[in-house]
Amino acid sequence: MSAPSGVLVIAEAEDGAPTDLSREMLGLARRLADELNDGLGGGVDAVLLGEGLGDSAGELIAFGADRVHMGDGAAYAVYLAEAWMAKLMEIAAASPPVVILTGHTTMGADLAPRLSFRLGTTVATACVAAAVVAGRLQATRPCYGGAAREVLSFKTEPAVLTVKSKSQAVPDRDDGRSGAVVVVSTDVGETCARIVERKVQATAGVRLETANVVVAGGRGINGHEGFKKAQELADVLGAAVGASRVACDLEWCPPSYQIGLSGRTVAPELYIALGISGAGQHMAGCGNAKTIVAVNTDREAQIFQSSRFGVVGDCQEILPPLIDELRKLKSGSKT
Amino acid sequence: MHIAVCVKQIQNPEIASALLRVDEVTNTMRLASGVSPVMSPFDEQAVEAALRIREALGEAKITVITMGEESARQVLKAALSLGADEGVLLADPACQNADSYTTALTLSRAIQKLGDVDLILAGRQAADLDVGVVGCGLAELLDIPAITFAGAVSVEDGMVRVDRVIENGYEIQEAPLPALVTVSHEIGPVRKASLRETMRAARKPIASWSVDDLGLDAGQVGELGARRVVERLYIPTSDIECEYVPGANAEEMARNLARRLFESNVL
Ligand SMILES: Cc1cc2nc3c(=O)[nH]c(=O)nc-3n(C[C@H](O)[C@H](O)[C@H](O)COP(=O)(O)OP(=O)(O)OC[C@H]3O[C@@H](n4cnc5c(N)ncnc54)[C@H](O)[C@@H]3O)c2cc1C
Ligand SMILES: Nc1ncnc2c1ncn2[C@@H]1O[C@H](COP(=O)(O)O)[C@@H](O)[C@H]1O
């Protein structure tokens, strides 16, 4: 056992490759490790547990890891806290990190609190920034439904952070980087909790998280018909469709459409908000979009404060001509 | 069957962000005047989950626990009016400005003091600081299994069964009791207090325990025992200026918007 050093990234894979958020975290880990290097030294370790991971280790190294702990096997096909915890405690004990990063996902948000308590430390969740200030780590996280930010430092080590998706730049890939790969055994003992069944819907159409354009509907879109129109607009733009929580709660669209604090996080080039008031908890999931366009009957709606373009009008009336016009412009037949 | 539900009193999360004011000396949010604090919405859903379990089982005791100021008694009363049986108020001044760790520590001692708890329910996150740590932290301190993000919870044969909401769907997880579950809004609409329960609630007991009663000392709890330091709390400002797209009617506005999007290379 050695003195604590370096940054440990708990990566996640999807379809056999590290997720975009894992790459974002490697970029952040690299910066933190270099900043911490002054006083503390240490590199970037990554852990990836999964099944059918292919050359994910090589990928993680290319994006910034110095050493990758890979556990590839059926035992890790699906995330289960106890199985992950056992391996992570072993890894953290063998070479204690000063910072641990995990994604703010349904895995990371479940894992990080447990890990931090078991390590006798604490965690800052859904962080959007982290930096070393005067030799100490500071993490910035949104709070109060996204309306405020708090900057935290830590009295205990390691500092555990869950990182909000789309909050960090993805580093450039460097295939020239080299790193070590440590094989993590796939013997997972008995766990208390177990997964009985899993129902995952394949996404129809464009994925929200990777879409360049997102069209989202809220209470003002007025029902299923409104979502059909939103889908039509999305099809013209090659966009994905999302929603506010109210629209999901009203069952105008599937719950998986929900964008926001308790839903998904997107950061597209263009976000078109239809009949959405712009509550902090909604903006928490789309505030990082490059351009926001809002259609709302209420000129004073909060959404306009984050919008570059606004239309004060009724979605039902605006959508049909908007779809027509965009279709024309898209096909190049400008009038 | 004894279910403990952890509920937190917070500032109403639906108030306009323009009403939020930071106290820069203490790095805390000042309560907006005239707006009553509420039970954190996910905790309302946790109470609802407990009531549904009791209905399904026919019998269960539900204890609600809160740590906060004396005013937090209100959220206990609200839960008792919904049908919970007993309340525990942890309002020792030493507990103020707790972090996730000291909150979980204090709550865990209260649960141990209750003694016979089979199932603990918490919200997925408190809707003030939006942290989402106390649930799993409690489970760690009590050394029991935890299942997070429940969209549905049921109990059968000494096991808790949870529809756990995940990206793109859900999974069904089971764990033996005692266990902890964090509840998400997918649980669906919560009931309103009935007149009958509200009348009964006045007679239901609320225990008030100090840090000493929990076998802790002031240095271990609240701000003193916290493992994080709040360096700064602030309200970010936006410098975005909205360009309202003109037009005499919907068609004109729609056409102008489409053109502006192309002209400005957004599309
Ligand atoms: C802890 C917590 C977590 C939350 N998490 C989320 C989350 O993840 N995602 C989320 O979205 N919300 C979340 N919320 C809810 C959030 O606070 C808001 O209540 C919600 O986002 C409002 O949805 P909305 O904008 O569709 O509806 P409303 O706020 O009702 O707004 C509807 C808007 O539509 C406009 N409108 C009405 N008719 C028309 C029309 N015909 N044409 C155009 N505009 C029209 C209105 O002017 C209004 O601005 C959360 C809340 C809490 C407390
Ligand atoms: N002060 C508190 N009193 C009672 N329960 C709490 C308190 N703080 C947090 N909790 C519980 O823990 C959950 C998660 O809180 P947090 O980790 O602070 O986001 C909440 O939804 C509550 O169920």
Side-chain angles (χ1 to χ4, degrees):
Chain A
M1 189 164 143
S2 46
S5 74
V7 182
L8 175 66
V9 175
I10 304 169
E12 281 180 72
E14 200 171 82
D15 302 326
T19 58
D20 286 344
L21 177 53
S22 301
R23 294 167 214 247
E24 285 181 50
M25 287 193 286
L26 285 168
L28 175 62
R30 212 45 282 160
R31 284 197 299 283
L32 293 178
D34 295 342
E35 288 173 37
L36 289 166
N37 217 12
D38 282 357
L40 297 149
V44 173
D45 275 37
V47 192
L48 184 61
L49 307 178
E51 187 187 20
L53 296 176
D55 185 38
S56 291
E59 286 282 298
L60 293 168
I61 291 166
F63 283 97
D66 298 313
R67 183 167 59 173
V68 179
H69 308 260
M70 276 270 283
D72 192 345
Y76 298 130
V78 179
Y79 165 72
L80 189 61
E82 290 166 64
W84 260 244
M85 281 291 290
K87 294 299 160 188
L88 288 165
M89 288 302 290
E90 277 174 27
I91 291 165
S95 43
V98 286
V99 180
I100 299 179
L101 304 179
T102 168
H104 194 69
T105 59
T106 56
M107 174 182 118
D110 178 277
L111 181 64
R114 305 173 194 248
L115 189 62
S116 67
F117 271 67
R118 211 171 290 183
L119 290 169
T121 178
T122 192
V123 52
T125 55
C127 296
V128 295
V132 180
V133 179
R136 283 162 62 87
L137 184 78
Q138 291 194 351
T140 304
R141 57 181 303 281
C143 52
Y144 292 93
R149 299 262 185 289
E150 59 175 357
V151 181
L152 304 176
S153 65
F154 304 83
K155 290 187 197 165
T156 48
E157 222 170 60
V160 182
L161 273 56
T162 73
V163 178
K164 196 165 149 84
S165 141
K166 315 277 184 190
S167 66
Q168 311 295 315
V170 174
D172 290 331
R173 174 197 195 92
D174 177 0
D175 283 309
R177 294 195 78 249
S178 60
V181 180
V182 183
V183 175
V184 176
S185 73
T186 56
D187 59 323
V188 172
E190 281 284 299
T191 59
C192 255
R194 62 185 195 100
I195 295 168
V196 185
E197 201 185 326
R198 207 173 151 85
K199 291 214 170 103
V200 179
Q201 305 141 350
T203 359
V206 186
R207 275 197 55 196
L208 268 173
E209 279 83 355
T210 48
N212 270 324
V213 182
V214 172
V215 176
R219 195 199 297 272
I221 204 169
N222 271 323
H224 293 98
E225 279 309 310
F227 270 93
K228 275 195 198 133
K229 277 285 166 210
Q231 184 65 57
E232 218 180 295
L233 172 60
D235 291 343
V236 173
L237 300 175
V241 179
S244 75
R245 178 157 124 193
V246 168
C248 297
D249 287 349
L250 291 167
E251 297 184 7
W252 294 348
C253 61
S256 59
Y257 278 34
Q258 185 181 319
I259 290 169
L261 183 66
S262 45
R264 291 159 178 260
T265 304
V266 298
E269 292 291 309
L270 174 60
Y271 188 82
I272 305 182
L274 305 168
I276 292 177
S277 60
Q281 293 94 353
H282 182 77
M283 302 317 289
C286 62
N288 271 348
K290 187 138 176 255
T291 301
I292 296 178
V293 172
V295 179
N296 197 303
T297 43
D298 175 8
R299 198 189 165 89
E300 302 304 318
Q302 200 175 323
I303 185 84
F304 290 125
Q305 288 170 19
S306 335
S307 302
R308 170 136 173 248
F309 296 107
V311 174
V312 180
D314 186 328
C315 292
Q316 261 168 301
E317 292 170 20
I318 301 285
L319 276 173
L322 182 63
I323 292 167
D324 283 348
E325 188 66 21
L326 286 171
R327 199 175 269 136
K328 272 190 227 152
L329 290 171
K330 272 273 171 185
S331 61
S333 59
K334 298 189 186 183
T335 47
Chain B
M1 181 75 190
H2 187 177
I3 306 171
V5 189
C6 300
V7 298
K8 185 179 186 188
Q9 185 182 46
I10 61 164
Q11 166 164 283
N12 190 329
E14 309 258 1
I15 65 169
S17 50
L19 293 177
L20 296 177
R21 293 282 177 280
V22 171
D23 182 330
E24 283 169 15
V25 178
T26 55
N27 280 324
T28 53
M29 198 61 84
R30 284 208 194 111
L31 291 185
S33 59
V35 189
S36 317
V38 296
M39 188 189 305
S40 180
F42 297 114
D43 302 355
E44 289 184 318
Q45 274 137 348
V47 171
E48 174 65 28
L51 295 168
R52 290 186 199 171
I53 292 169
R54 184 171 68 189
E55 279 157 7
L57 293 178
E59 197 179 20
K61 175 173 161 188
I62 302 173
T63 303
V64 283
I65 308 175
T66 192
M67 187 193 86
E69 297 184 25
E70 187 57 38
S71 67
R73 187 180 289 275
Q74 289 309 321
V75 295
L76 296 179
K77 285 189 176 162
L80 296 178
S81 302
L82 290 167
D85 300 297
E86 291 181 11
V88 175
L89 176 66
L90 308 170
D92 196 313
C95 294
Q96 297 311 306
N97 296 326
D99 71 345
S100 308
Y101 169 70
T102 48
T103 302
L105 177 67
T106 309
L107 292 173
S108 74
R109 291 298 177 92
I111 287 163
Q112 280 167 336
K113 192 171 158 75
L114 288 172
D116 57 353
V117 175
D118 302 293
L119 177 65
I120 304 166
L121 299 179
R124 60 176 280 175
Q125 66 200 48
D128 50 359
L129 290 172
D130 303 320
V131 173
V133 170
V134 168
C136 282
L138 258 175
E140 278 297 316
L141 295 176
L142 296 169
D143 197 18
I144 58 174
I147 307 178
T148 52
F149 304 124
V153 192
S154 60
V155 169
E156 205 180 319
D157 297 334
M159 302 282 284
V160 60
R161 192 179 165 93
V162 170
D163 287 7
R164 178 172 189 263
V165 180
I166 51 176
E167 284 94 359
N168 273 324
Y170 67 94
E171 65 191 15
I172 299 174
Q173 269 199 43
E174 279 184 353
L177 298 176
L180 179 138
V181 173
T182 76
V183 175
S184 189
H185 57 91
E186 283 85 354
I187 207 123
V190 302
R191 71 196 64 195
K192 298 257 183 298
S194 70
L195 187 60
R196 179 172 159 268
E197 287 293 347
T198 308
M199 306 274 284
R200 291 182 57 203
R203 292 191 302 275
K204 293 177 182 173
I206 293 180
S208 186
W209 293 339
S210 68
V211 162
D212 200 32
D213 293 332
L214 301 177
L216 292 165
D217 62 62
Q220 288 174 285
V221 298
E223 177 84 62
L224 286 177
R227 290 174 172 176
R228 60 88 189 97
V229 178
V230 183
E231 300 283 350
R232 193 176 163 220
L233 177 70
Y234 66 101
I235 296 175
T237 50
S238 149
D239 52 4
I240 297 173
E241 191 69 56
C242 181
E243 174 183 330
Y244 287 96
V245 176
N249 54 40
E251 282 77 35
E252 250 182 69
M253 285 192 280
R255 225 174 300 133
N256 287 336
L257 173 62
R259 289 184 188 155
R260 286 295 289 134
L261 292 178
F262 272 83
E263 278 165 19
S264 49
N265 292 323
V266 171
L267 281 175

